[in-house]
Amino acid sequence: MSAGATADATLVEHRRGVAGLNAVAKLVAALLIALPLVVTIDPVSAGVALVLELPLLLAAGLGWRRFWVRTSPLWLAAPAAAVTIALYGQRSGDEVFSWLFVHVSEGSLLLGLATLLRVLAIGLPAVVLFVTVDPTDLADGLAQILRLPARFVIGGLAGMRMLGLLADDWRALSLARRARGVADAGRIRRAAGMAFALFVLAIRRGSALATAMEARAFGASTTRTWARASRLTRADLLLMAAGLAISVTALAVAVAVGAFHPIFGPA
């Protein structure tokens, strides 16, 4: 088998399942899951949504190691938010524990649990679905399917491409400062100086990129053509329908058991 055929086979393997679907379908599915769950803050709807998301997460095409690495901020943020809400949230029901400014009640514990499940139910599908999204595919879909202005889409794509350079720039700045002997002390001050230098470097690169894109007529008002066609398939529609079904089912179960608690107004 030739090297090109091997590369194509590797790409097909990587793009199997949900990973190979249209980027716009992933975006819409994540929004359909997240937006309905925002209107309520009860543990039932978030828990049901989290359970229903498991098949979607398993079919996302991520290895276990990559999954845990990518979602690790959520696993840290969700318990932290839950503990904060449980300790300092609105008190209701019987008081469980009290000390100085800390008042833990049955209601605050339930609210903390709901917060924990909501962060995971909203964040996990968003992170997992977007891990396999290629910025160019997303730009193609936004322009051709959602009909967003080409100038806005191409500018956003250029910015997303530049984000990947920030880590390399930070590493280069760190090595340069170490070679000059100014990176051995004052860690906080050094980090602040490097952050400012990185900020200035990003502005300069952005200005140069904007000038180059304008010179190549990326800002022209004429209708732009696209090298690759972006279309929604039946599998893409099924993914979006699954996202809608997850949120609708979660809300329906919460209403049925009397746990629905809208964030605005009475339940």
Side-chain angles (χ1 to χ4, degrees):
M1 181 180 295
S2 64
T6 303
D8 292 340
T10 303
L11 179 61
V12 171
E13 180 68 23
H14 176 71
R15 303 281 289 183
R16 280 182 179 176
V18 177
L21 299 183
N22 193 289
V24 172
K26 299 177 186 178
L27 173 64
V28 173
L31 290 177
L32 289 175
I33 293 174
L35 293 181
L37 294 179
V38 173
V39 303
T40 179
I41 186 166
D42 65 89
V44 175
S45 60
V48 171
L50 195 57
V51 172
L52 295 177
E53 291 167 5
L54 290 178
L56 183 62
L57 299 179
L58 293 175
L62 294 180
W64 285 109
R65 183 179 182 280
R66 193 181 182 196
F67 171 82
W68 290 113
V69 169
R70 294 288 187 173
T71 60
S72 57
L74 291 175
W75 298 108
L76 296 175
V83 171
T84 302
I85 295 297
L87 295 179
Y88 304 104
Q90 184 178 3
R91 287 176 288 174
S92 60
D94 296 334
E95 188 172 80
V96 178
F97 175 76
S98 176
W99 182 72
L100 295 179
F101 300 104
V102 176
H103 298 278
V104 180
S105 63
E106 293 179 350
S108 65
L109 289 176
L110 188 63
L111 192 61
L113 175 61
T115 302
L116 170 68
L117 295 176
R118 282 182 73 206
V119 170
L120 294 178
I122 295 175
L124 284 178
V127 172
V128 170
L129 289 176
F130 275 92
V131 165
T132 56
V133 168
D134 180 74
T136 303
D137 293 339
L138 179 59
D140 289 336
L142 293 177
Q144 299 179 51
I145 298 176
L146 298 185
R147 302 297 182 183
L148 295 183
R151 186 170 184 174
F152 167 77
V153 170
I154 296 176
L157 174 61
M160 293 177 65
R161 289 297 188 189
M162 287 298 163
L163 287 177
L165 299 178
L166 292 180
D168 295 334
D169 291 338
W170 182 272
R171 190 178 303 107
L173 287 172
S174 178
L175 293 176
R177 293 174 68 90
R178 184 173 297 276
R180 293 164 53 195
V182 294
D184 297 328
R187 180 175 301 176
I188 297 178
R189 184 175 60 183
R190 182 178 73 250
M194 289 179 58
F196 180 76
L198 187 65
F199 177 68
V200 173
L201 184 61
I203 292 178
R204 290 177 176 175
R205 180 179 286 124
S207 300
L209 176 63
T211 303
M213 293 180 66
E214 193 69 26
R216 289 171 172 80
F218 279 103
S221 59
T222 57
T223 303
R224 180 167 296 278
T225 58
W226 303 91
R228 299 182 302 180
S230 181
R231 299 183 180 88
L232 293 177
T233 64
R234 182 177 300 177
D236 298 319
L237 298 177
L238 289 176
L239 176 63
M240 293 186 288
L244 179 61
I246 289 173
S247 58
V248 170
T249 303
L251 294 180
V253 172
V255 172
V257 301
F260 182 74
H261 189 279
I263 58 176
F264 299 109

